[in-house]
Amino acid sequence: MPNMSPNKVPMPHQEPNVRNKNVAEVATGYTLEMAQEEADRCLQCKHKPCVNGCPVGVQIPEFIALIKEGDIEGAYDKIKETNALPAVCGRVCPQEDQCEKLCVRAIKHEAVGIGRLERFVADYHMANGENKIPNIEKNGHKVAVVGAGPAGLTCAGDLAKKGYEVTVYEALHKAGGVLEYGIPEFRLPKAIVSKEVQA
Ligand code: SF4
């Protein structure tokens, strides 16, 4: 039986009297137990309406099912099939207007916390997993991508998966674009951006 709680498992966060004295991230992320409890709220809908709301088509019920099974690295691989930046998207994507808006659980109650689960999986991978270097056969073509913001990095990653030799050009000191220079630390820590760009 799925977890029919009407509300998402609450996101742990810094208390106001603590967070007003630092610039660290306010939301501190699910534990494995919390993530599995939230994953249990997913009904594994056969028609996957949530996927239609995801701009990059993450296979949402599949990755959530892997969390339920305890295969967090498998969930990470599933998300990475279509999303190059899961730790970033899990934090700053407007899920309430995208995947979670179309979640069937949102018809009567709160949607499944898809963004929170994506963030959990990405953070778990950063703490416990290894970045695998895929063995991709080169296709003999070179591509230059101008700008190492989220669009440029995603484009570069997708082209590299198809065998192109990609060079990314960036005018500023660090890769990440708006992720590095436009979103405050308490919302998206720079260390997370750097690790995700490296992955
Ligand atoms: S719509 Fe909601 S409940 Fe259904 S598969 Fe997607 S996340 Fe799970």
Side-chain angles (χ1 to χ4, degrees):
M1 270 290 288
N3 169 3
M4 294 310 290
S5 167
N7 301 115
K8 295 175 185 174
V9 173
M11 171 61 90
H13 59 272
Q14 294 194 62
E15 292 304 321
N17 265 338
V18 176
R19 74 185 190 225
N20 64 8
K21 297 178 185 63
N22 68 72
V23 294
E25 195 170 20
V26 174
T28 51
Y30 280 166
T31 62
L32 174 61
E33 293 70 26
M34 289 172 182
Q36 288 188 307
E37 187 183 340
E38 183 61 23
D40 260 342
R41 294 185 64 238
C42 174
L43 304 178
Q44 293 293 308
C45 312
K46 292 275 180 284
H47 60 308
K48 308 179 190 180
C50 48
V51 177
N52 294 332
C54 176
V56 295
V58 169
Q59 294 303 298
I60 293 164
E62 281 87 344
F63 97 74
I64 292 178
L66 289 161
I67 296 175
K68 284 195 215 184
E69 291 167 18
D71 183 1
I72 312 303
E73 281 299 299
Y76 179 79
D77 291 343
K78 179 55 67 181
I79 295 171
K80 286 283 283 190
E81 285 176 6
T82 55
N83 185 352
L85 302 169
V88 169
C89 293
R91 285 172 165 81
V92 298
C93 261
Q95 292 99 7
E96 64 283 2
D97 286 324
Q98 297 179 338
C99 53
E100 293 185 15
K101 190 175 184 179
L102 299 184
C103 173
V104 297
R105 295 296 306 264
I107 295 170
K108 290 196 173 169
H109 301 293
E110 284 189 351
V112 172
I114 300 166
R116 295 175 182 189
L117 292 174
E118 184 177 42
R119 170 190 166 150
F120 165 75
V121 169
D123 288 357
Y124 183 96
H125 172 78
M126 280 186 190
N128 303 292
E130 280 179 24
N131 289 329
K132 301 165 199 154
I133 298 173
N135 191 12
I136 296 167
E137 199 177 324
K138 298 276 184 227
N139 65 16
H141 297 285
K142 292 183 179 178
V143 174
V145 173
V146 179
L153 292 172
T154 301
C155 177
D158 285 352
L159 289 169
K161 278 187 210 160
K162 291 179 187 293
Y164 291 90
E165 190 180 323
V166 185
T167 305
V168 181
Y169 292 90
E170 171 57 52
L172 297 176
H173 297 91
K174 289 185 174 177
V178 69
L179 309 175
E180 184 68 36
Y181 295 105
I183 301 178
E185 180 76 14
F186 68 84
R187 189 79 177 79
L188 179 64
K190 303 288 175 278
I192 296 289
V193 176
S194 299
K195 280 190 198 165
E196 190 115 272
V197 168
Q198 298 303 321

